[in-house]
Amino acid sequence: IQTTFLMVKPDGVKRQLVGEIVDRFERKGFELKGAKLIQITEELAKKHYAEHAERPFFGELVEFITSGPVFAMVWEGENVISVARLMMGATNPAESAPGTIRGDFSTTLSHNVIHGSDSLASAEREIGLFFNENELV
Ligand code: GTP
Ligand code: MG
């Protein structure tokens, strides 16, 4: 059984997609272990996206993810890391299939509604960045 870190980005929260997104993972059969609405600080944003620090869009990425509250979540289930990525769809909404979250709810790469950990190591790292042990059941 795996756990992963998922986050509705500021665009998704503003567009009131939190309920729809939680619903999809619940109906799939995954189990919610923790969740909170938070305003990410610049410091946390830079840690979270450290792997992209050298990319030309890093500044934009940090600015966007700190532009409003996000809904941070920890989900548990069989193969939840890769299955959640499938349910999210391709990073670029121009390529994400209809039926996926990005495919159904977004049109732009920089505002693609949801984040999900891409590996066991990043799931562990990101859960540790966003949640204390006592915030998870
Ligand atoms: P996340 O779940 O958000 O990490 O997306 P991902 O794992 O599918 O993609 P990746 O980690 O490679 O990129 C992180 C985020 O950076 C993406 O979700 C995009 O929103 C954003 N991003 C990627 N490429 C670009 C770009 O060229 N310009 C801008 N502005 N944003 C980008
Ligand atoms: Mg990523």
Side-chain angles (χ1 to χ4, degrees):
I1 296 284
Q2 297 178 338
T3 52
T4 197
F5 174 72
L6 302 180
M7 168 169 76
V8 183
K9 295 182 180 183
D11 56 332
V13 173
K14 277 194 197 94
R15 292 173 51 203
Q16 303 185 254
L17 294 173
V18 168
E20 163 75 32
I21 288 169
V22 169
D23 191 44
R24 289 188 180 213
F25 292 104
E26 282 191 317
R27 281 189 293 154
K28 173 70 176 171
F30 293 134
E31 199 181 329
L32 188 60
K33 306 300 284 185
K36 57 185 174 185
L37 187 72
I38 55 162
Q39 171 69 49
I40 299 186
T41 61
E42 192 179 326
E43 186 191 359
L44 177 57
K46 286 179 172 167
K47 280 188 194 161
H48 173 68
Y49 279 130
E51 64 172 319
H52 299 305
E54 305 306 320
R55 302 279 196 92
F57 58 86
F58 185 65
E60 255 175 63
L61 193 55
V62 170
E63 197 175 317
F64 169 62
I65 208 70
T66 58
S67 67
V70 300
F71 193 68
M73 301 168 278
V74 174
W75 287 89
E76 180 182 277
E78 273 186 60
N79 301 306
V80 67
I81 297 170
S82 59
V83 175
R85 298 271 300 183
L86 282 176
M87 292 169 66
M88 288 161 51
T91 305
N92 188 342
E95 287 155 17
S96 44
T100 66
I101 292 165
R102 287 163 172 168
D104 287 349
F105 301 119
S106 64
T107 58
T108 30
L109 175 59
S110 55
H111 292 46
N112 58 3
V113 175
I114 185 167
H115 163 82
S117 307
D118 60 10
S119 67
L120 211 60
S122 68
E124 227 169 80
R125 189 182 79 88
E126 291 167 5
I127 291 168
L129 275 179
F130 282 83
F131 286 90
N132 294 314
E133 203 121 302
N134 65 7
E135 293 175 307
L136 303 174
V137 296

